[in-house]
Amino acid sequence: MANKLVAHMGLPQSIANRLAARNIRTAKDALSLPEFDLMALLGVDIKDIKEAVARISEVACPPYQTALSLLEERLMNDTSGGRLPTLLTGLDDALGGGIPFGVLTELVGPSGIGKSQFCLKLSLLAALPASYGGLDGRVIYIDTESKFSSRRMIEIGRNSFPKIFHSEGMAQEMAGRIIVLRQTSLSEITESLQQMKLKLLQHEVKLLVIDSMAALISGEKGSSSSMSGNHQPKCPFSFLKSIAEFSRIPIVVTNQVRGHNNDEISQYSFLGKDTDRSVEKFETHHVAALGIQWAHAVTIRLIFEAHSGQKFIKVAKSPLSPPLAFPFTVCSSGVTLLSDDGIEMIGQEIGMIRCQGHSILNV
């Protein structure tokens, strides 16, 4: 703003010429001098100086915004950026329409709880024709644990979208839009994404899934060290964020869980504090495996957990939603909510991951 040229600010030509003759070319040059000094330099009345300074200030200074206008602008950007609907009504309502474009969304929970099932359904939704609520695009699915099941994906499709998948050749067409890569190291993923960056736009890719990032890092660092705290192997957080922002597509990454120290949950600034130490009242619980740096890199965090004989998807981090928990089950059509009414959460309950009945990866 300070380097804007005064010659382009609509000043009277005589004033603009005098400023240029005295090498006062930018808003900073003009506004750095007292009005009486400008009057002496330019040889004009104080009234003309005041009007010129007011005009320069108006053009050079950014317009003010109220807190309300900033909120409205943020909401407009969030909703206009695009969403991939999950078709889980309660969750979509909480997220403003679905998984947002241009940011990282994390699914965290114990093995076998339904994260990959959720990713398979998202992949189908991104590949479906727009007339059926899909994005009519391609999907890149990076499968680091070799758990991707095309048979299960087709089963989900046939039970969720029977009109499409029972049409001749449509199952093969949908499956052909989902490109599965099986990288086993961070360097392979980074290299693939570097080569892929422009192709994401050229080939109409509408979703990128990495399932799972935690397993990849755990395999790289070996079993001799821990992933707790801040001493973690380097993970391409910023690179993944740049891919999301550049391509304006949703990037969904799954994460696993690990044990934690009693005070560790409180290190996550987006979680509430719990002064009554209610953490002690819960069943076995864990935290996300990739630690604090990753937690702050993602925009959306969905926690998959199980307790009291029930599975839940928790919206633990979102710019649009309060912390909510939705009971769910996994059936032939994939992940299905048992209720669209979210249960509000407070304190450390937001970030806790209860894993009753599920095995936990030791990382």
Side-chain angles (χ1 to χ4, degrees), residues 149-196:
S149 172
S150 55
R151 179 176 297 178
R152 173 58 176 151
M153 184 188 68
I154 296 300
E155 180 188 14
I156 292 173
R158 283 177 173 163
N159 286 281
S160 301
F161 315 104
K163 289 184 179 180
I164 297 178
F165 279 78
H166 287 141
S167 300
E168 185 177 355
M170 286 303 293
Q172 291 81 354
E173 182 179 341
M174 292 297 101
R177 294 184 179 187
I178 299 172
I179 302 164
V180 181
L181 304 177
R182 285 186 167 146
Q183 270 83 12
T184 58
S185 70
L186 283 175
S187 59
E188 286 182 353
I189 281 187
T190 303
E191 183 179 353
S192 294
L193 291 176
Q194 288 279 17
Q195 297 171 353
M196 210 182 286

Side-chain angles (χ1 to χ4, degrees), residues 272-287:
K273 304 295 182 182
D274 196 351
T275 56
D276 66 2
R277 305 299 292 176
S278 61
V279 61
E280 298 174 0
K281 299 184 290 185
F282 292 115
E283 308 160 57
T284 301
H285 50 270
H286 297 75
V287 294

Side-chain angles (χ1 to χ4, degrees), residues 260-275:
H260 70 93
N261 299 321
N262 287 338
D263 295 327
E264 189 169 355
I265 293 177
S266 63
Q267 297 179 26
Y268 296 84
S269 62
F270 56 86
L271 303 180
K273 304 295 182 182
D274 196 351
T275 56

Side-chain angles (χ1 to χ4, degrees), residues 113 310-313 326-331 334-338:
I113 198 168
Q310 181 64 66
K311 295 179 179 180
F312 293 88
I313 298 176
F326 297 91
F328 79 95
T329 188
V330 179
C331 60
V335 172
T336 303
L337 296 186
L338 298 177

Side-chain angles (χ1 to χ4, degrees), residues 62-80:
Y64 73 86
Q65 286 185 282
T66 65
L68 177 60
S69 67
L70 286 171
L71 175 61
E72 291 172 342
E73 181 180 313
R74 174 65 180 272
L75 290 174
M76 182 181 69
N77 290 338
D78 285 337
T79 55
S80 64

Side-chain angles (χ1 to χ4, degrees), residues 58-337:
E58 179 184 359
V59 175
C61 297
Y64 73 86
Q65 286 185 282
T66 65
L68 177 60
S69 67
L70 286 171
L71 175 61
E72 291 172 342
E73 181 180 313
R74 174 65 180 272
L75 290 174
M76 182 181 69
N77 290 338
D78 285 337
T79 55
S80 64
R83 291 289 193 279
L84 171 57
T86 67
L87 299 191
L88 305 175
T89 302
L91 183 60
D92 284 342
D93 289 345
L95 297 178
I99 305 299
F101 293 5
V103 299
L104 301 182
T105 295
E106 175 196 36
L107 314 179
V108 56
S111 177
I113 198 168
K115 304 186 302 295
S116 294
Q117 304 286 324
F118 191 90
C119 290
L120 290 175
K121 185 72 166 283
L122 282 181
S123 298
L124 287 172
L125 289 166
L128 281 178
S131 58
Y132 287 88
L135 299 181
D136 199 20
R138 294 180 179 272
V139 176
I140 294 176
Y141 197 113
I142 299 178
D143 177 26
T144 67
E145 297 181 285
S146 298
K147 290 183 178 180
F148 181 90
S149 172
S150 55
R151 179 176 297 178
R152 173 58 176 151
M153 184 188 68
I154 296 300
E155 180 188 14
I156 292 173
R158 283 177 173 163
N159 286 281
S160 301
F161 315 104
K163 289 184 179 180
I164 297 178
F165 279 78
H166 287 141
S167 300
E168 185 177 355
M170 286 303 293
Q172 291 81 354
E173 182 179 341
M174 292 297 101
R177 294 184 179 187
I178 299 172
I179 302 164
V180 181
L181 304 177
R182 285 186 167 146
Q183 270 83 12
T184 58
S185 70
L186 283 175
S187 59
E188 286 182 353
I189 281 187
T190 303
E191 183 179 353
S192 294
L193 291 176
Q194 288 279 17
Q195 297 171 353
M196 210 182 286
K197 197 167 183 179
L198 289 177
K199 293 181 181 179
L200 291 175
L201 296 179
Q202 294 170 351
H203 296 284
E204 298 183 340
V205 172
K206 297 296 177 67
L207 174 66
L208 170 63
V209 176
I210 302 178
D211 184 18
S212 95
M213 182 64 77
L216 196 67
I217 294 178
S218 176
E220 288 232 334
K221 74 191 293 283
S223 59
S224 60
S225 59
S226 170
M227 200 180 292
S228 61
N230 294 319
H231 305 290
Q232 301 169 21
K234 186 176 181 182
C235 185
F237 307 119
S238 59
F239 183 67
L240 284 175
K241 289 184 71 173
S242 72
I243 289 284
E245 293 167 359
F246 170 79
S247 59
R248 302 306 302 171
I249 64 171
I251 294 184
V252 176
V253 179
T254 67
N255 189 2
Q256 296 169 349
V257 297
R258 59 174 175 80
H260 70 93
N261 299 321
N262 287 338
D263 295 327
E264 189 169 355
I265 293 177
S266 63
Q267 297 179 26
Y268 296 84
S269 62
F270 56 86
L271 303 180
K273 304 295 182 182
D274 196 351
T275 56
D276 66 2
R277 305 299 292 176
S278 61
V279 61
E280 298 174 0
K281 299 184 290 185
F282 292 115
E283 308 160 57
T284 301
H285 50 270
H286 297 75
V287 294
L290 292 180
I292 297 173
Q293 185 182 5
W294 175 256
H296 289 296
V298 301
T299 299
I300 305 292
R301 167 173 277 184
L302 302 180
I303 290 176
F304 288 63
E305 68 171 5
H307 64 90
S308 306
Q310 181 64 66
K311 295 179 179 180
F312 293 88
I313 298 176
K314 298 197 302 190
V315 183
K317 182 182 181 184
S318 167
L320 296 180
S321 173
L324 296 173
F326 297 91
F328 79 95
T329 188
V330 179
C331 60
S332 60
S333 60
V335 172
T336 303
L337 296 186

